[in-house]
Amino acid sequence: MKYLSRYRRHRAAAPILLLFALFAIGTTFSVASATTTPEQSEFSRSTAIEEGREIFLKGCSSCHGLNLEGSAIAPSLLGVGAASVDFQVGTGRMPVADLSVQIMRKPPVYDEKEVAALAVYVASLAPGPEIPTDASLNYERDGSTAEGGELFRTNCAMCHNFAAQGGALTQGKYAPTLMGVEAKYIAEAMTTGPQSMPVFSDKTLTPEEKLSIIKWVKAVEAEPALGGASLGRVGPVTEGLLVWTLGIGLLIGVAV
Amino acid sequence: MSSELEIIKDPGVPAHIHRQADLDPKAEQKAERQVAILFALSSLGTLLFIYSYTFLSEDLFIFFPILGTTNAKQLFLGLGLAFALFFIGAGAIHWAKTLMPDEEVIAMRHEMRSEDEDRRELIKTAKQGAAAAALGRRSLIKRSLGLSLGLVGLSPLLLLRDLGPLPGKKLETTSWKTGTRLVTDPGDRPIKPSDLEVGAVAQVLPAIKEGGHRALSDIGKDAVLLIRLRQEEFQLDPERLAMTYQGIIAFSKICSHMGCAVALYEQTTKHLLCPCHQSTFDVTRAAKVIFGPSARPLPQLAITVDDEGYLVAQSPFNEPVGPSYWERNSQ
Amino acid sequence: MTARERVAGTVANYVDERTGAAKWMKKNLNKVFPDHWSFLLGEIALYSFIILLLSGTFLTFWFDPSQREVVYEGSYEPLNGIEMSAAYASTLHISFEVRGGLLMRQIHHWAALLFMVAIVVHLLRVYFTGAFRKPREFNWIIGVGLLTLGIVEGFLGYSLPDDLLSGTGVRIAQAIIQALPVVGSYLSFFAFGGEFPGEAFIPRIYTVHVLLLPGIFLALITVHLMLVWYQKHTQYPGPGRTEKNVVGYPLFPVYMAKAGGFFFIVFGVTAFLSAVASINPVWLYGPYTPGQVSAGSQPDWYMGWLDGLVRMAPPIETHAFGHTISWNILIPGLIIPGIMFTGLALYPFIESWISGDKREHHILDRPRNVPNRTALGAMALTFTIVALLNGGNDIIATTFNLTINQMMWFSRIGILVLPPIAFVVTKRLCLSLQRADRDLVLHGRETGTLMRMPSGEFVEIHEPISAEKAWTLTQHEQPVPLELEDTDARGVRRPGAIKNKLRNRMSRAHAVAVPKVNAQDLKEIEHH
């Protein structure tokens, strides 16, 4: 205690206290706002479709309509298929938290079981793209990295950038980065064309070609920073920024 | 406060302040040691360089914060070289700053202008020389010299003629003819309308003969983007509508602004965005420019199906693809 | 005489008997160079150039400047079996199979970026301190030439690997050539040996990049340095420094040690950057084909402002009589840069016309003492920065959650509105700084110590500034506005009267300043 009172008026006391307060508030907030696991359900008794319907009515129908017909602010879900549901809800994009020009990925609200139930329910009302099975996603075996790179650069790089880091679209929309995205979601996105992304039909981009693309994306993700810090892998903008700050800064520092 | 202030005059170069090393032999030795240490660090750097080159494996990767996982050989080769060079410089500068004399020296400038005497002599020499050549008087020589020099100077430009062929009609023509099949890029697979769902895109090239090879110069004019919408989403006049097929519309992928590949299709807004300068094209209105610097829409390729049901071109493009040029009739 | 002196003497004698070197060496070894950190900026550019020559020569031993198509069979897996040009394949070979190759590629590219940064910062120093005034106008023009050629050389350099990003840039350059009225398509076909991309471009720019431009650079840099040497370097105002002297350190040994050491520093920092920061990772971009493009495609920073101008251009083309003129390409791509570089090159002559000042100047200006010039520079800089930011508008948009549409409109309006604002703000700032200087001279430095007078009043004690500082703050000359007459002695209007009126107006603006402390002011102070 004497220690505290002795240093009460030290110069560093205020900043340290501030940091401590920020830390305390921050951790309290994040702990308190962690999503709680949903209760074990009386749902477990129903079939998956019935489960899905329940979740849908509670969490989705206010925008997507009671019969999936859509509304002024949400598209119809008839025919989007299980793959769309798995993608949108599994990545947390749906349900929407903030209706803006683009719906962002965020921590999913529903757990795996619930997502599966929703997907089965939506698919039961109208046929659509299926969720890819694990067997069909064996990109290591069935894909070709080099071919995937060529396919990516022709079909994907103009939105997602040459190293799949993401890119700008019009009016504040953007193509997100593919780093850290599971193979299943990449496959589903190509097939269902979420939001601004177009659909890549299996006939024009075959399933093998899609696997090659995934294999290449995973290879780029795993590739170490070969020449040094990668500076974001977005090209000359960050390189120019570095030379104008660190580069000339170091040299003028020595000169002075 | 202030005492007698004189009119502000130049007080002259301020008195020299001696450095520690000038006054104290111990400080001088310390400075010498410091310089030596700096040079020694440089040698260490060189050793690291040699070691990395000779002994480090190319497949070794090492993690550093901020850098990420990077190639160890490249990193230490570079750091070794950097240290080797940097510390020679640091040592030399430290030596100059602490040990070499730092008394400021004054030297006088001389006027740039030459002495009048020199100028007069130059004028005299020049005039004499000019009179000797007498070009002013000998106009026949002057004119014939001018002609011959001009001819020999300019005529080698003729040698540049073979730098390239004349453009001819090349900028107006592509490989697309009536009946050319649309095939996937890459893969060269022909496409049926049923292959494309609503909201789908496909990168497309004209079909070539079996075993044929496409030159990049051809791709640079032939690349086409295929997009499928719902028929009712088009806002086209009947002539343009007739160039589509069951909601499928084809545009040249080569931007009408400066030639980048335009394939960034936003399914929700039905807009095409060129990533180079952000020209935005509205697909429902035949790629009309709605934002950005491009002044012309993308040329549309008229498509239909052949008797086997595959998509083919109805006719060649009805205008040149790619950026504008003087001879382009853009009306 | 020691043994060492004897040997040195023999060598010196041998050389001098054949070249007469002793005479000019004696004079030049003692040449005086003023010492200030801002004089090292040009040196950074010079040393970067040398680094470029060295690293570039290394690269030429492995680079294959050919566009013939090969199939990649090297060690970089993700490109195995892909068709690409030999230029691209050899760049991959240098990066992955030549030991130290990637390091050299990165040193070469970082040195190029540093070269351009140093040139720009050096240009700003020369501009804002007025070092371009007589007798240094030729050097200024050479400098602007070096800047322009540097931009071209850098563009050609990073286009050599024929990767997707630089190939896109080449396509845009080709579109500019093609857009030229009357001759555009012909020039484009001649440059590319036919249609774009063809197979002739990379080999041809290789010759320009490796032989022609470096040769021109060497010649220009030599003349640039010789002029500095012969005219002697300028110096900042200060005690003991006059228009007729140079105060500093002798070439041998002090300046040689410092300048020579700085070369190693620059090289060391460049090598450090190349070790820790990746640049131009062409293996990630992929080989160039006109059917592909990446989001966020930008040129290197020194061309970014050009790209920004092109992006913000309004979509204007003239279609008339079966011909097309693309103003949306010509204006931002050629006309505006042409005006900017021409204005830049001619500036010394413009300023001397405005001020009527035809004397030699070897003492530098403190920027605040020339508010008009400083404000003009700030205006031009603002223009360039707005253009530069717009060149990266898509990456800025995704990083800061803006839209490219907002960035575009900000740039279109900002580039017209922000420069004049910068001018006014900078000019006012300079004048306030002049006022602050004047206060400092008249009243001394505020010490922050209060003293209570017997009358009860509190005053802050001011400490008079040193004589050296007072001299530095008041040694500058204040420009006098021209008063050219528009009629002669008999009232007849002169030819060129309008030009004179304009000149008068501009020189009056140029001469706006806070008056210096003079003897009258000092006398008034004394009786305070």
Side-chain angles (χ1 to χ4, degrees):
Chain A
M1 273 306 137
K2 243 172 88 178
Y3 176 87
L4 281 180
S5 61
R6 196 175 352 134
Y7 288 104
R8 200 159 41 122
R9 293 197 200 283
H10 193 274
R11 275 192 309 175
I16 289 179
L17 274 174
L18 189 60
L19 278 170
F20 176 71
L22 285 170
F23 180 69
I25 295 174
T27 40
T28 317
F29 177 75
S30 52
V31 164
S33 68
T35 28
T36 48
T37 46
E39 326 139 4
Q40 254 324 307
S41 51
E42 55 263 48
F43 294 159
S44 54
R45 290 196 302 271
S46 339
T47 62
I49 294 183
E50 198 42 46
E51 267 183 54
R53 199 177 88 88
E54 295 280 342
I55 303 173
F56 183 85
L57 288 176
K58 238 169 64 168
C60 321
S61 58
S62 52
C63 293
H64 284 288
L66 291 170
N67 294 310
L68 279 67
E69 74 275 16
S71 71
I73 53 169
S76 156
L77 298 182
L78 293 166
V80 297
S84 290
V85 178
D86 187 49
F87 176 82
Q88 297 281 7
V89 186
T91 61
R93 287 176 163 86
M94 289 288 149
V96 179
D98 174 22
L99 200 61
S100 68
V101 74
Q102 173 144 338
I103 297 157
M104 316 259 276
R105 181 171 187 162
K106 57 189 192 317
V109 170
Y110 299 108
D111 66 19
E112 271 179 48
K113 216 157 84 54
E114 292 168 315
V115 173
L118 266 174
V120 168
Y121 168 64
V122 170
S124 70
L125 293 179
E130 307 269 318
I131 300 179
T133 61
D134 283 339
S136 71
L137 282 176
N138 194 343
Y139 55 84
E140 288 292 346
R141 182 193 64 196
D142 300 327
S144 150
T145 316
E147 203 193 315
E150 272 299 286
L151 288 160
F152 188 89
R153 285 186 288 272
T154 307
N155 289 289
C156 324
M158 60 280 213
C159 293
H160 286 283
N161 144 302
F162 60 88
Q165 303 295 316
L169 304 177
T170 63
Q171 305 295 351
K173 306 189 286 289
Y174 61 93
T177 173
L178 299 180
M179 297 293 108
V181 178
E182 293 148 53
K184 182 173 71 147
Y185 293 138
I186 301 181
E188 287 169 349
M190 285 192 274
T191 322
T192 64
Q195 290 192 83
S196 299
M197 180 164 169
V199 174
F200 290 92
S201 319
D202 274 348
K203 287 284 169 49
T204 49
L205 199 64
T206 66
E208 289 78 36
E209 288 179 334
K210 290 192 169 86
L211 285 179
S212 294
I213 290 180
I214 295 174
K215 188 169 183 190
W216 182 85
V217 172
K218 292 298 168 197
V220 166
E221 194 179 328
E223 187 177 296
L226 293 173
S230 69
L231 305 180
R233 286 183 177 167
V234 285
V237 173
T238 43
E239 293 163 3
L241 205 56
L242 188 72
V243 80
W244 269 101
T245 52
L246 190 67
I248 199 73
L250 271 177
L251 287 173
I252 292 187
V254 172
V256 173
Chain B
M1 213 188 351
S2 46
S3 53
E4 283 281 304
L5 267 182
E6 300 179 84
I7 296 172
I8 298 166
K9 287 207 304 272
D10 180 0
V13 180
H16 179 71
I17 305 169
H18 284 286
R19 301 164 297 188
Q20 281 282 58
D22 295 330
L23 304 167
D24 177 7
K26 285 249 281 285
E28 192 184 342
Q29 273 176 10
K30 185 167 157 205
E32 257 192 61
R33 265 201 306 273
Q34 284 169 340
V35 174
I37 290 176
L38 290 171
F39 286 146
L41 281 172
S42 160
S43 306
L44 282 179
T46 312
L47 289 175
L48 176 62
F49 179 82
I50 297 174
Y51 174 80
S52 314
Y53 188 92
T54 325
F55 296 110
L56 281 185
S57 152
E58 257 127 33
D59 302 318
L60 186 64
F61 290 94
I62 188 170
F63 176 81
F64 278 106
I66 301 180
L67 296 186
T69 310
T70 185
N71 184 301
K73 191 175 179 115
Q74 128 84 11
L75 177 66
F76 290 118
L77 215 54
L79 284 177
L81 186 63
F83 281 18
L85 294 164
F86 185 86
F87 285 112
I88 293 185
I93 293 179
H94 191 64
W95 178 14
K97 282 197 160 158
T98 55
L99 292 170
M100 290 189 189
D102 75 332
E103 310 226 359
E104 288 187 316
V105 173
I106 305 180
M108 300 312 288
R109 293 183 191 266
H110 50 85
E111 208 189 356
M112 287 291 115
R113 193 184 193 286
S114 309
E115 300 289 323
D116 285 337
E117 177 68 31
D118 289 327
R119 286 186 168 203
R120 275 195 296 269
E121 295 237 5
L122 175 64
I123 293 173
K124 204 166 82 168
T125 315
K127 275 194 171 154
Q128 277 173 347
L135 263 185
R137 206 162 36 95
R138 304 189 197 283
S139 60
L140 185 61
I141 293 184
K142 186 168 77 173
R143 294 208 189 120
S144 54
L145 176 66
L147 180 66
S148 59
L149 276 179
L151 280 176
V152 82
L154 292 176
S155 52
L157 286 175
L158 279 177
L159 293 172
L160 297 177
R161 166 65 186 86
D162 277 344
L163 274 178
L166 294 176
K169 294 242 170 288
K170 296 222 188 68
L171 287 171
E172 298 167 16
T173 48
T174 69
S175 311
W176 291 101
K177 309 269 178 288
T178 306
T180 312
R181 270 202 187 151
L182 280 66
V183 296
T184 58
D185 169 28
D188 283 309
R189 296 184 297 274
I191 306 171
K192 288 201 162 118
S194 55
D195 293 343
L196 291 168
E197 293 128 11
V198 171
V201 299
Q203 320 290 331
V204 153
L205 287 170
I208 50 172
K209 281 198 295 283
E210 188 70 39
H213 182 83
R214 284 191 189 88
L216 289 184
S217 305
D218 292 326
I219 299 178
K221 288 190 303 184
D222 299 337
V224 157
L225 187 66
L226 212 54
I227 311 169
R228 184 163 207 167
L229 292 75
R230 267 180 265 274
Q231 182 89 346
E232 53 274 18
E233 286 172 318
F234 284 134
Q235 300 168 57
L236 299 170
D237 60 34
E239 195 191 320
R240 286 290 183 142
L241 202 54
M243 290 160 75
T244 70
Y245 187 82
Q246 292 184 0
I248 304 176
I249 192 167
F251 290 111
S252 166
K253 206 162 106 171
I254 308 301
C255 189
S256 51
H257 180 228
M258 294 177 102
C260 293
V262 189
L264 210 162
Y265 177 62
E266 293 179 358
Q267 207 206 136
T268 38
T269 56
K270 319 281 185 291
H271 292 163
L272 270 174
L273 176 69
C274 182
C276 287
H277 308 108
Q278 280 93 49
S279 299
T280 313
F281 305 91
D282 184 351
V283 172
T284 64
R285 284 183 286 171
K288 178 168 169 208
V289 180
I290 54 173
F291 185 78
S294 181
R296 286 182 293 102
L298 296 171
Q300 185 183 351
L301 182 70
I303 49 170
T304 181
V305 290
D306 65 10
D307 8 311
E308 285 178 53
Y310 291 113
L311 285 168
V312 296
Q314 277 184 37
S315 61
F317 279 102
N318 55 13
E319 53 172 335
V321 305
S324 301
Y325 50 97
W326 171 254
E327 298 90 343
R328 189 185 203 282
N329 190 338
S330 308
Q331 269 126 347
Chain C
M1 244 211 290
T2 69
R4 195 185 304 153
E5 282 173 350
R6 250 189 314 236
V7 170
T10 318
V11 171
N13 183 46
Y14 188 89
V15 173
D16 184 52
E17 280 189 348
R18 287 154 180 76
T19 59
K23 184 148 168 237
W24 57 264
M25 277 201 83
K26 145 200 118 178
K27 199 171 80 151
N28 285 306
L29 279 185
N30 270 326
K31 201 170 185 69
V32 176
F33 286 89
D35 193 24
H36 192 268
W37 68 264
S38 65
F39 296 163
L40 296 181
L41 299 170
E43 279 183 35
I44 300 178
L46 173 67
Y47 300 148
S48 296
F49 179 69
I50 297 175
I51 296 170
L52 284 169
L53 288 178
L54 292 172
S55 53
T57 308
F58 177 94
L59 293 172
T60 62
F61 293 148
W62 284 275
F63 180 71
D64 184 1
S66 160
Q67 283 176 273
R68 86 174 182 282
E69 221 166 70
V70 300
V71 172
Y72 183 67
E73 283 164 10
S75 61
Y76 185 65
E77 276 299 309
L79 287 173
N80 228 323
I82 300 293
E83 279 177 5
M84 56 182 62
S85 62
Y88 187 72
S90 65
T91 311
L92 294 176
H93 179 69
I94 293 175
S95 305
F96 297 124
E97 274 107 46
V98 175
R99 282 173 289 185
L102 181 59
L103 181 67
M104 276 305 179
R105 270 197 61 229
Q106 304 209 140
I107 288 182
H108 195 71
H109 204 134
W110 280 120
L113 294 189
L114 266 173
F115 180 57
M116 297 309 300
V117 171
I119 290 183
V120 169
V121 183
H122 171 67
L123 180 150
L124 291 175
R125 196 283 293 165
V126 169
Y127 175 81
F128 284 116
T129 55
F132 54 79
R133 291 171 296 169
K134 178 174 171 180
R136 296 178 176 82
E137 300 98 324
F138 291 154
N139 235 8
W140 169 263
I141 294 181
I142 292 178
V144 174
L146 285 168
L147 171 67
T148 323
L149 288 180
I151 294 176
V152 175
E153 176 82 340
F155 169 74
L156 294 180
Y158 71 73
S159 303
L160 282 174
D162 196 29
D163 55 89
L164 184 57
L165 183 62
S166 64
T168 308
V170 174
R171 176 44 142 160
I172 292 170
Q174 185 267 336
I176 297 181
I177 299 174
Q178 190 175 291
L180 287 167
V182 183
V183 296
S185 52
Y186 296 92
L187 283 180
S188 169
F189 269 63
F190 282 179
F192 285 83
E195 297 178 291
F196 176 85
E199 294 212 339
F201 193 65
I202 303 279
R204 286 175 185 171
I205 63 172
Y206 185 66
T207 306
V208 177
H209 179 83
V210 159
L211 180 67
L212 295 180
L213 282 178
I216 299 178
F217 267 110
L218 277 170
L220 285 179
I221 292 178
T222 307
V223 177
H224 196 73
L225 289 177
M226 276 176 62
L227 279 172
V228 173
W229 188 274
Y230 183 62
Q231 292 173 336
K232 300 201 196 359
H233 204 283
T234 52
Q235 56 191 352
Y236 281 105
R241 282 132 171 97
T242 68
E243 290 282 3
K244 299 246 185 300
N245 69 11
V246 196
V247 180
Y249 300 106
L251 174 65
F252 183 67
V254 181
Y255 191 72
M256 234 186 234
K258 281 189 174 177
F262 198 53
F263 166 69
F264 287 96
I265 301 268
V266 172
F267 206 159
V269 169
T270 310
F272 174 73
L273 268 181
S274 311
V276 301
S278 170
I279 185 169
N280 205 24
V282 291
W283 56 90
L284 287 176
Y285 297 154
Y288 179 68
T289 158
Q292 294 172 359
V293 73
S294 168
S297 287
Q298 266 91 13
D300 272 5
W301 78 265
Y302 44 85
M303 298 201 62
W305 61 283
L306 284 166
D307 199 40
L309 286 176
V310 172
R311 287 182 189 206
M312 70 173 85
I316 306 177
E317 266 185 7
T318 312
H319 305 154
F321 306 112
H323 290 287
T324 308
I325 301 183
S326 302
W327 301 112
N328 55 350
I329 298 177
L330 292 174
I331 294 181
L334 287 176
I335 297 178
I336 293 186
I339 296 176
M340 285 174 73
F341 281 117
T342 311
L344 195 60
L346 292 179
Y347 186 75
F349 309 102
I350 297 174
E351 193 182 277
S352 77
W353 180 78
I354 294 176
S355 63
D357 186 357
K358 294 202 188 309
R359 300 163 299 165
E360 272 184 31
H361 289 278
H362 300 284
I363 297 273
L364 296 171
D365 284 325
R366 298 172 75 216
R368 67 187 64 181
N369 290 331
V370 228
N372 227 45
R373 179 202 302 155
T374 309
L376 204 62
M379 187 164 109
L381 206 52
T382 310
F383 182 90
T384 315
I385 292 178
V386 173
L388 182 62
L389 285 176
N390 196 42
N393 60 10
D394 43 4
I395 296 189
I396 294 178
T398 46
T399 314
F400 295 108
N401 254 317
L402 301 163
T403 77
I404 54 176
N405 311 76
Q406 284 169 337
M407 287 291 305
M408 198 77 87
W409 279 111
F410 165 76
S411 306
R412 277 177 172 171
I413 298 176
I415 205 159
L416 295 172
V417 160
L418 289 176
I421 295 179
F423 183 92
V424 172
V425 168
T426 311
K427 188 155 183 179
R428 292 291 124 198
L429 258 170
C430 287
L431 291 172
S432 339
L433 285 170
Q434 283 187 22
R435 225 166 273 129
D437 280 351
R438 194 187 143 83
D439 273 350
L440 206 56
V441 172
L442 286 179
H443 304 294
R445 190 178 69 86
E446 296 172 356
T447 57
T449 311
L450 294 178
M451 184 174 84
R452 195 167 190 184
M453 309 279 281
S455 52
E457 186 191 343
F458 279 106
V459 290
E460 183 180 11
I461 300 184
H462 285 229
E463 204 180 82
I465 54 177
S466 64
E468 280 87 13
K469 192 155 170 100
W471 164 251
T472 311
L473 294 181
T474 54
Q475 49 72 43
H476 61 282
E477 266 184 28
Q478 302 213 286
V480 175
L482 291 175
E483 271 158 47
L484 303 164
E485 291 162 6
D486 52 352
T487 57
D488 66 14
R490 267 175 264 156
V492 177
R493 202 169 165 77
R494 280 170 187 251
I498 296 181
K499 199 171 74 162
N500 279 352
K501 266 219 179 67
L502 173 68
R503 205 174 163 189
N504 281 346
R505 196 65 88 63
M506 291 178 84
S507 85
R508 241 175 290 139
H510 186 76
V512 169
V514 172
K516 265 184 357 182
V517 172
N518 56 27
Q520 180 74 353
D521 296 322
L522 292 174
K523 282 220 161 47
E524 286 175 6
I525 286 285
E526 263 173 58
H527 297 310
H528 234 239

mmCIF file of all heavy atoms in Angstrom, chain A residues 63 70-74:
data_model
loop_
_atom_site.group_PDB
_atom_site.id
_atom_site.type_symbol
_atom_site.label_atom_id
_atom_site.label_comp_id
_atom_site.label_asym_id
_atom_site.label_seq_id
_atom_site.Cartn_x
_atom_site.Cartn_y
_atom_site.Cartn_z
ATOM 1 N N CYS A 63 -38.135 -11.599 -42.174
ATOM 2 C CA CYS A 63 -37.656 -10.949 -43.402
ATOM 3 C C CYS A 63 -37.934 -11.807 -44.634
ATOM 4 O O CYS A 63 -38.293 -11.279 -45.688
ATOM 5 C CB CYS A 63 -36.150 -10.704 -43.324
ATOM 6 S SG CYS A 63 -35.684 -9.502 -42.078
ATOM 7 N N GLY A 70 -40.010 -14.373 -49.513
ATOM 8 C CA GLY A 70 -39.242 -13.135 -49.546
ATOM 9 C C GLY A 70 -40.105 -11.956 -49.182
ATOM 10 O O GLY A 70 -41.299 -12.077 -48.931
ATOM 11 N N SER A 71 -39.504 -10.772 -49.119
ATOM 12 C CA SER A 71 -40.237 -9.547 -48.823
ATOM 13 C C SER A 71 -39.481 -8.395 -49.458
ATOM 14 O O SER A 71 -38.587 -8.607 -50.269
ATOM 15 C CB SER A 71 -40.349 -9.362 -47.304
ATOM 16 O OG SER A 71 -39.072 -9.030 -46.778
ATOM 17 N N ALA A 72 -39.863 -7.181 -49.038
ATOM 18 C CA ALA A 72 -39.210 -6.012 -49.639
ATOM 19 C C ALA A 72 -37.719 -5.974 -49.315
ATOM 20 O O ALA A 72 -36.931 -5.435 -50.085
ATOM 21 C CB ALA A 72 -39.893 -4.741 -49.150
ATOM 22 N N ILE A 73 -37.358 -6.527 -48.153
ATOM 23 C CA ILE A 73 -35.956 -6.390 -47.758
ATOM 24 C C ILE A 73 -35.174 -7.695 -47.837
ATOM 25 O O ILE A 73 -34.012 -7.732 -47.502
ATOM 26 C CB ILE A 73 -35.845 -5.851 -46.307
ATOM 27 C CG1 ILE A 73 -36.683 -6.713 -45.359
ATOM 28 C CG2 ILE A 73 -36.273 -4.401 -46.245
ATOM 29 C CD1 ILE A 73 -36.408 -6.404 -43.913
ATOM 30 N N ALA A 74 -35.809 -8.798 -48.266
ATOM 31 C CA ALA A 74 -35.068 -10.056 -48.327
ATOM 32 C C ALA A 74 -35.539 -10.866 -49.510
ATOM 33 O O ALA A 74 -36.723 -10.845 -49.852
ATOM 34 C CB ALA A 74 -35.282 -10.853 -47.039
#
